[in-house]
Amino acid sequence: MIRQPAVAGQFYTDDPDKLRAQLKAMISPAPVREKVLGVISPHAGYVYSGAVAGKLFGEVAVPSTVVILGPNHHGIGARAAIFPEGSWQTPLGTAPVNSSLATLIKKHSSIVEADQKAHIFEHSLEVQLPFLQFLRPDVSIVPICLGFRDFKSCLLLGSGIAAAIREYGDEVLIVASSDMTHYETAASAKQKDEQAINMVLALDAEGLLLVCAQKDITMCGVVPATVMLVAAKGLGATGARLVQYATSGDVTGDNRQVVAYAALTVK
């Protein structure tokens, strides 16, 4: 199956030449790109969060295989839905699904189900792909859409992904797709988001999930980020870094009701 883009022409342009030009402008290439195990990257429209994602991906060495974890905004399909085979289409071309790694993830994590329905309309994974394709045209992906909230499931999936990557035997980047606080003042968002970011910097996966629940931090991809942290720690992660934090108010000039974005690396 070829998964067709759901939000090309909405979250980002559907014109290939314009998209390449925008990605080139948004991605700030570092002199030396950092090898990391996982990242947290925002998934709003490129006009709002593209500069944050571009800063992140400009500093990261993208390997040929990437696992993309995204939240299920639509509530369709399995609670841990993996797109098992085929390819994903964007205006930049098709990216094959790495069915070998997908099979290993299913083998090592019993909560994962092969399910394409959860991915049909979901934007959170799709908006990451043009960045990856631009930097690594040969990239293959394993898209996983998540609709659960409990830490036990995060632990099972994250541990399973780590075991699958170890068995796979090659370098893999785990991208957790998430925006931060939604529809609060910029000051309130920053105050809340600092608490979540501090948990990521401490590599405290369970703490991240708990603080978002307890402090009403509307980080939509907290579960993907938690799973990524569990997997990265299982693969030997020792530290994390905040690359950039911004809000939609930085673009619009209106700080009364913003959506916030953070880019972080884990290695």
Side-chain angles (χ1 to χ4, degrees), residues 124-138:
S124 63
L125 298 97
E126 178 183 328
V127 298
Q128 307 295 340
L129 187 50
F131 285 96
L132 300 171
Q133 289 175 302
F134 181 81
L135 290 167
R136 187 80 192 224
D138 64 338

Side-chain angles (χ1 to χ4, degrees), residues 176-262:
S177 183
S178 183
D179 296 335
M180 300 301 289
T181 289
H182 290 61
Y183 310 126
E184 298 189 24
T185 66
S188 173
K190 187 172 188 294
Q191 186 273 328
K192 286 187 171 184
D193 289 338
E194 282 178 348
Q195 298 174 77
I197 288 167
N198 285 338
M199 290 298 177
V200 178
L201 296 177
L203 301 181
D204 188 344
E206 187 171 16
L208 174 62
L209 199 63
L210 283 172
V211 78
C212 286
Q214 292 171 353
K215 303 295 184 180
D216 192 27
I217 303 169
T218 51
M219 179 183 178
C220 56
V222 62
V223 166
T226 300
V227 172
M228 181 275 289
L229 285 174
V230 171
K233 286 179 72 177
L235 292 167
T238 57
R241 179 171 67 93
L242 176 64
V243 175
Q244 188 165 330
Y245 179 83
T247 75
S248 57
D250 298 328
V251 175
T252 65
D254 184 353
N255 289 312
R256 295 170 297 177
Q257 198 174 52
V258 304
V259 179
Y261 317 109

Side-chain angles (χ1 to χ4, degrees), residues 73-131:
H73 286 89
H74 299 275
I76 300 169
R79 62 197 295 266
I82 196 166
F83 200 100
E85 59 186 3
S87 61
W88 279 42
Q89 180 84 35
T90 79
L92 300 185
T94 57
V97 172
N98 190 314
S99 56
S100 297
L101 182 55
T103 298
L104 288 173
I105 291 172
K106 285 192 294 177
K107 169 187 168 183
H108 286 284
S109 187
S110 60
I111 70 169
V112 171
E113 297 178 50
D115 177 20
Q116 297 167 344
K117 297 189 298 295
H119 294 272
I120 293 172
F121 303 111
E122 181 55 53
H123 67 276
S124 63
L125 298 97
E126 178 183 328
V127 298
Q128 307 295 340
L129 187 50
F131 285 96

Side-chain angles (χ1 to χ4, degrees), residues 17 24-25 41 56-57 109 113 124 144 152 175 185-186 212 226-227 232 240:
D17 293 332
K24 185 177 181 180
S41 175
L56 171 72
F57 286 116
S109 187
E113 297 178 50
S124 63
I144 308 176
K152 181 180 178 182
V175 174
T185 66
C212 286
T226 300
V227 172

